[in-house]
Amino acid sequence: MTSRREPRLADAAEIAAEQGLTPARISGLYNERAENGFPETRDKRGRARLWDHAEVTEWFAQRPPARLREHTPPSRDPQDLLNAADASRFLGYKNTNQVTTFVRDHPGYFPDPDVVEEMGTTENPYRRQLWRVQTLLDWMATRPGRGKHAGAKRAAPALPDVPVDGDPDELLGASQAAALLGFKSVNSFSSSLSQGNLPVLKDTDAVTEKGGRRRWTRKRILEQAAQRTPRR
């Protein structure tokens, strides 16, 4: 007798990160499923809906080209620097906060800024992040969710090989944490973190000066790994 393999389940945040959308947009597509054929949910995690990851991926691969996929960015010098709002417009997003949302909610999905400027005053400092046009063009060519409409689909970057028995106080980034926790990609790790499924890593041990990337000690990541419930 052949055993039936359990599907890998994914929530709206994980699907959104892979497809370059927002969790709210995924929920909207689900609510319109009678018209668009979006897959039914398979389970729930608390209040979060869970879908068969393979079914949703196939649905996105077969859907008609979206406006964003058809967007042609304006001609600019590849070395021009754009802030988050201008980068959002350059990439074709109606929401000028879209790049800010990517950076804040989906670490590892969007490229690090090429330049970070320290602004404001001593009492009220703030940072302005800037991306080169070429960086944005490179991301457009390889971003997740382009599927068959953009030619051959590129495999997600492999996670690094991270030793478990290294220095417990060494600071590690998202890709290294994803590897130690057994995730298949940085996007899956980021999604789970944003959903509150990795409580030990809710607070960071450090943030990089360039790009504001979060870092955790190997010790805390391994503590989280010991508590993490294996995913189906």
Side-chain angles (χ1 to χ4, degrees), residues 74-95:
S75 178
R76 296 285 301 259
D77 185 323
Q79 297 306 309
D80 281 354
L81 290 168
L82 305 181
N83 63 23
D86 288 338
S88 297
R89 284 188 281 264
F90 178 81
L91 294 169
Y93 292 105
K94 291 183 177 180
N95 181 3

Side-chain angles (χ1 to χ4, degrees), residues 5 8 17 24 41 43 49 51 62 85 115 138 140 143 150 154 158 160 164 166 171 177 197 215-216 219 222-223:
R5 184 180 179 183
R8 182 167 86 80
T41 56
D43 204 344
R49 301 185 182 101
W51 287 268
Q62 295 183 5
V115 174
D138 290 344
M140 283 187 71
R143 70 174 182 262
R154 303 190 182 191
V164 175
L171 292 171
N197 299 327
R215 296 289 183 263
W216 302 266
K219 178 181 179 181
L222 293 177
E223 288 177 359

Side-chain angles (χ1 to χ4, degrees), residues 182-194:
F183 286 96
K184 293 183 178 180
S185 69
V186 174
N187 284 341
S188 297
F189 163 76
S190 300
S191 169
S192 189
L193 182 65
S194 67

Side-chain angles (χ1 to χ4, degrees), residues 155-203:
L159 294 176
D161 185 13
V162 185
V164 175
D165 56 355
D167 181 355
D169 294 321
E170 181 183 2
L171 292 171
L172 305 178
S175 62
Q176 295 163 308
L180 285 175
L181 291 168
F183 286 96
K184 293 183 178 180
S185 69
V186 174
N187 284 341
S188 297
F189 163 76
S190 300
S191 169
S192 189
L193 182 65
S194 67
Q195 288 292 297
N197 299 327
L198 304 173
V200 177
L201 304 183
K202 179 180 178 181
D203 297 321

Side-chain angles (χ1 to χ4, degrees), residues 33-46:
R33 63 191 180 280
E35 292 79 29
N36 61 29
F38 196 81
E40 290 287 350
T41 56
R42 291 299 191 92
D43 204 344
K44 273 195 169 185
R45 184 190 299 131

Side-chain angles (χ1 to χ4, degrees), residues 215-228:
R215 296 289 183 263
W216 302 266
T217 62
R218 179 182 275 101
K219 178 181 179 181
R220 288 185 65 205
I221 295 170
L222 293 177
E223 288 177 359
Q224 180 64 78
Q227 297 180 19
R228 182 168 175 252

Side-chain angles (χ1 to χ4, degrees), residues 100-151:
T100 299
T101 299
F102 283 153
V103 173
R104 183 188 65 231
D105 297 341
H106 302 294
Y109 175 73
F110 199 73
D112 286 339
D114 296 293
V115 174
V116 178
E117 297 179 342
E118 301 295 337
M119 309 287 287
T121 64
T122 303
E123 294 76 20
N124 296 296
Y126 69 92
R127 308 168 79 196
R128 184 169 69 167
Q129 299 179 329
L130 302 168
W131 288 263
R132 288 193 174 88
V133 166
Q134 188 60 57
T135 300
L136 301 176
L137 292 173
D138 290 344
W139 181 79
M140 283 187 71
T142 60
R143 70 174 182 262
R146 290 176 63 83
K148 67 180 182 180
H149 303 301

Side-chain angles (χ1 to χ4, degrees), residues 58-72:
E58 179 66 16
W59 184 85
F60 274 104
Q62 295 183 5
R63 71 192 295 229
R67 176 190 62 80
L68 190 60
R69 294 192 182 100
E70 297 174 335
H71 171 71
T72 300

